[in-house]
Amino acid sequence: MACILLYSRVAPSSYRHTRTCICIFSLSLSLSYICYCLLFSSDAIMQKPSDPTQNCLRLRSDGGKKLQQKSLYCTLPLNARGTRDISLHEANQSNASVNLNTVRNNTSDRPTPNNTGSGKFGNKKLPNAIIVGVKKGGTRAVLEFIRIHPDVRAVGTETHFFDRNYDRGLDWYRCLMPRTMESQITMEKTPSYFVTRETPRRISAMSRDTKLIVVVRDPVTRVISDYTQTLSKTPDLPSFQDLAFQNQSLGLVDTSWNAIRIGMYALHLENWLRYFPLSQIHFVNGERLITDPAGELARVQDFLGLKRIVTDKHFYFNRTKGFPCLKKPESSSSPRCLGKSKDILVCHGEFQEL
């Protein structure tokens, strides 16, 4: 435009008119060419030279192959496609791994069906708590009652590891345990532990943090129950009086008889206190376990650091047996009561099975 204005001042009018048209036409043609180049021929505007694959990759992510094929300018180099495909494969593998880990984590938090030996989740670990005694005190009842708690998993049978099978090693012992989650407590019960002299030291060597439960009852009641059970298996057993007394006329008790010796609780407790503080030993009252099972189980749950879930609603008193039983579980057609050989009690001078 400056050229046109300058020219109009110098050239004649008729001549100036012709030259002006030519100049405007040339200028318009030049501008059109520049716009054409910018719009259709230049990669500087349509695609960043520093990253020639970004638009193609963006198309793939936005619309897949169909969108890419419709594009007039997307020609993804082979190496870029390969890299992208590998990246996508790695991302898919990573996502699959994350999803699998998520499933595993969610599965590990899923509660294991309680008291089944075929649990598929969790790990086998050494027990956090052990019912160590005493025989005929009500240990089986305590185990059956506490193991309905969802955070307790227990071995159903007596392992006798610390008194009879210690030479088999801790790996063998751990193998007997049920699978438990991190938040669950592993337990076992072997009443003879309480009177076996080596047991406290051996349990302490395994873990000094192990919690111990001792179920005690009146020593006289306990020894009669012990004798009655043995008599049912050995009919030719000497009379109770012959075994219990050194001299009946003088009333001297024979403390060498094992059934009497088990009831000398203070004697055995002294050995346990050499390895464990009293705060790690909980005593269950065997008599109150019969009259108030929920109250005794509440104290057991407190000792184990568990929420009080086992309550009155789980028990009913079986008048035929004279003993509390667990109410019928949803998965069972009958209530859970102990067997005939458990907790035989003297009632009004007569033997009565509970």
Side-chain angles (χ1 to χ4, degrees), residues 134-142 145 215 217 221-222 224-226 228-229 286-287 289-290 321-324 338-346 351-354:
V134 297
K135 181 183 179 183
K136 305 311 297 177
T139 56
R140 170 57 62 180
V142 172
F145 294 165
V215 188
R217 65 196 296 191
T221 304
R222 197 221 66 81
I224 294 174
S225 179
D226 194 344
T228 306
Q229 185 184 49
E287 279 73 33
L289 186 63
I290 297 174
K321 290 178 172 291
F323 195 81
L338 300 180
K340 291 184 178 181
S341 65
K342 299 301 178 184
D343 296 294
I344 300 175
L345 179 66
V346 174
F351 294 118
Q352 179 181 359
E353 292 182 352
L354 299 184

Side-chain angles (χ1 to χ4, degrees), residues 56-346:
C56 291
L57 298 182
R58 179 178 58 79
L59 282 174
R60 275 196 172 187
S61 63
D62 291 343
K65 292 183 178 180
K66 291 183 178 180
L67 204 64
Q68 180 185 345
Q69 292 170 356
K70 291 180 181 180
S71 172
L72 298 176
Y73 62 85
C74 184
T75 54
L76 193 62
L78 180 61
N79 60 345
R81 290 198 300 271
T83 303
R84 176 62 176 174
D85 291 341
I86 293 173
S87 300
L88 287 172
H89 176 71
E90 291 175 349
N92 291 334
Q93 291 294 328
S94 177
N95 290 335
S97 177
V98 170
N99 291 335
L100 182 58
N101 289 334
T102 302
V103 170
R104 286 175 176 170
N105 291 337
N106 292 338
T107 301
S108 65
D109 292 334
R110 188 182 306 163
T112 306
N114 200 23
N115 307 320
T116 57
S118 59
K120 296 180 180 179
F121 307 108
N123 299 306
K124 294 191 174 187
K125 58 185 179 182
L126 296 171
N128 312 91
I130 304 176
I131 301 175
V132 296
V134 297
K135 181 183 179 183
K136 305 311 297 177
T139 56
R140 170 57 62 180
V142 172
L143 182 70
E144 292 300 321
F145 294 165
I146 192 61
R147 72 192 302 206
I148 67 175
H149 195 292
D151 291 332
V152 173
R153 299 274 286 130
V155 182
T157 57
E158 298 173 6
T159 68
H160 287 282
F161 173 68
F162 293 104
D163 58 352
R164 301 178 189 173
N165 299 298
Y166 194 65
D167 59 336
R168 293 177 180 264
L170 286 175
D171 287 339
W172 178 86
Y173 184 47
R174 182 187 290 107
C175 190
L176 301 179
M177 299 297 119
R179 294 185 180 275
T180 53
M181 300 301 175
E182 197 64 31
S183 60
Q184 291 178 314
I185 290 177
T186 304
M187 290 186 65
E188 75 120 322
K189 171 203 76 104
T190 304
S192 58
Y193 287 164
F194 188 69
V195 298
T196 305
R197 188 163 186 81
E198 298 83 7
T199 298
R201 176 182 57 80
R202 290 171 176 176
I203 295 179
S204 177
M206 176 189 71
S207 174
R208 301 186 68 178
D209 296 326
T210 305
K211 293 187 175 183
L212 310 170
I213 297 175
V214 184
V215 188
V216 294
R217 65 196 296 191
D218 183 295
V220 176
T221 304
R222 197 221 66 81
V223 70
I224 294 174
S225 179
D226 194 344
Y227 173 80
T228 306
Q229 185 184 49
T230 305
L231 183 64
S232 66
K233 300 176 181 179
T234 312
D236 57 347
L237 193 69
S239 68
F240 179 83
Q241 289 81 358
D242 290 341
L243 293 172
F245 296 98
Q246 289 182 341
N247 189 317
Q248 293 189 40
S249 59
L250 297 177
L252 295 178
V253 177
D254 187 359
T255 57
S256 65
W257 183 30
N258 189 55
I260 295 287
R261 195 170 182 82
I262 290 174
M264 300 172 67
Y265 303 137
L267 176 67
H268 306 295
L269 183 60
E270 184 179 356
N271 184 36
W272 285 92
L273 292 177
R274 293 174 56 194
Y275 299 94
F276 293 94
L278 193 59
S279 59
Q280 278 181 237
I281 305 175
H282 178 73
F283 295 92
V284 176
N285 186 311
E287 279 73 33
R288 282 206 304 260
L289 186 63
I290 297 174
T291 60
D292 182 22
E296 283 302 303
L297 264 293
R299 285 181 276 273
V300 172
Q301 290 171 93
D302 291 345
F303 172 68
L304 296 175
L306 299 171
K307 182 179 179 180
R308 288 190 178 186
I309 292 179
V310 184
T311 59
D312 281 322
K313 67 181 181 181
H314 292 93
F315 302 98
Y316 79 97
F317 192 82
N318 189 312
R319 295 186 179 279
T320 303
K321 290 178 172 291
F323 195 81
C325 296
L326 292 172
K327 290 183 179 179
K328 181 179 70 173
E330 294 180 359
S331 59
S332 175
S333 59
S334 60
R336 291 168 56 186
C337 285
L338 300 180
K340 291 184 178 181
S341 65
K342 299 301 178 184
D343 296 294
I344 300 175
L345 179 66
V346 174

